[in-house]
Amino acid sequence: MSVITSPGAPTPAVAAARERSAELEHLVARNPAGYRVLTGDRPTGALHLGHLLGTVANRVRLQNLGVEVFLIVADYQVITDRDDAGDLPATVREVLLDYLAAGVDPARSTVFTHSAVPALNQLLLPFLSLVSVAELERNPTVKAEAEASAAQGRRGTSGLLLTYPVHQAADILFCHGNLVPVGADQLPHLEITRTVARRFNQRYAAARPYFAEPDALVTPSLTVLGDDGVKMSKSRGNALELRASEDQTAAYFKRARTDADRTITYEPERRPEIANLLRIGAHFSGTSPEALADEVGPAGAGRLKALVTEAVVEGLRPLRARRRELASAGPRYLADVLARGNARANEIADRTLDDVRGLMGMRY
C-alpha cells in the first residue's frame, strides 16, 4: 500500500498509535494466528477506487498473512442517517462481488451481515449501559452528522446514529476482535470500544477479564480524491466504481480536475489534484509519485492523465475479470458465501452472548 501522511504534525495520540501500529505489524508477521480483525462497510453502493486503496487491499493483505478477518456488511448502519435504504439485497450483492473480486477469500475470511446475527445486536443493550450520552455526543462522526443534518434541514440525529459507536463496539467484541485497521481519524471510534471492554471487565469480570481491549492498526493507506477534487465518496457522485468499464475509467480520468501549471510536480499541499493523480498512478505502476512526476514533467496534465488511465486499467483488469466471472456464476454462489459467513458469525455471537449473560447473572 502507498503511504500518505496528512499535512501537519500528528497529535500525540495519533503519533503514539502509529508507533504502536509499527510494533503490531512485526507481531502480526510473527504470529498472524494470534490476531482477529473486524472491519467492514455500509452497503450504500458498489465499492469504488477509494475503498480499494483505502481499506480493501489492506484487508486482503492481512488475510493473506494468516490473520483471521471478519468482514461485516453493515446493513443496519445504512439507516442511521437516511429514510430510504434503497434496494439492499442488490447493493449487498454488489459489495460482495467487489470483496471477492478484490481477493477476499470466504474460506479464510468470514463475510456476514449485521441483520443476520441477532446475538451481536443484542449485545448493544448491556454495552449501552457502560457509556454516557455525553460520551456518545462527543464522538466526531456523531457530531459531524448532527451538524450536517441541522445545516441541511434534515431530521435530527437518529438514536441509531447516536449509538453507532457502541454498535461498532458490539461488532468488534462479539467475535473477540483484537486488531482493528483504522485511519487516524477513526481512533475515537475504537476508543469507545476499548472503553466498553474495559468497563465490562471491571463491572462483571474483574477477576478474569473477558474482553480484550482491541488495538488500532493505523493503516498506511491512500486517500483518494474524486474527479471533482474532493475526497472520493459514493454520496458525492465523484467516485470511480471498481465495476466500471475501461471506457468509463478513461472518461473518468479525462475529466479529473487538475490545475493551470503545465509542468507536473509532486506537491501535495500546493497541488492536491495533481498529487492525487500521481499517487493513484504510482500505486498501480509500482513507482513513487515523485518518480512519476519526473517522468511526465513538462508534458503536462494530459500526459499524466493518459499514464494514470493506462495504469489503473491494467491494474484493475484482473479484478474486473474475476468480478465478471463471479457475477456469471449466478446468485446462488453469492448467497451460499453469505450463508456460510452468517452461520459462523452466529455461532460465535451466540456463544459470546451466553457468556455475557452468565457473567452478568442473567442466565436463568
Side-chain angles (χ1 to χ4, degrees), residues 226-342:
D227 56 3
D228 58 356
V230 180
K231 184 176 179 180
M232 191 173 287
S233 166
K234 290 174 286 189
S235 61
R236 285 190 62 88
N238 67 351
L240 176 66
E241 292 184 344
L242 297 181
R243 64 184 179 182
S245 68
E246 293 184 7
D247 287 343
Q248 288 171 327
T249 301
Y252 180 86
F253 285 111
K254 186 175 182 179
R255 65 176 180 267
R257 181 174 296 178
T258 56
D259 58 35
D261 292 356
R262 178 167 180 80
T263 300
I264 299 302
T265 57
Y266 183 61
E267 301 176 73
E269 292 188 32
R270 189 176 76 87
R271 309 182 69 184
E273 296 93 350
I274 292 294
N276 178 62
L277 290 172
L278 288 168
R279 288 192 295 258
I280 294 171
H283 176 91
F284 283 103
S285 58
T287 186
S288 69
E290 293 85 356
L292 185 56
D294 290 342
E295 178 182 346
V296 178
R303 177 58 178 161
L304 173 60
K305 289 181 178 183
L307 288 177
V308 172
T309 298
E310 180 181 357
V312 172
V313 165
E314 289 302 315
L316 291 182
R317 195 185 300 280
L319 182 153
R320 288 168 169 169
R322 173 65 173 156
R323 198 182 194 284
R324 290 191 296 271
E325 177 186 344
L326 290 165
S328 68
R332 175 46 52 192
Y333 173 74
L334 295 178
D336 287 346
V337 167
L338 206 52
R340 291 196 299 272
N342 287 340

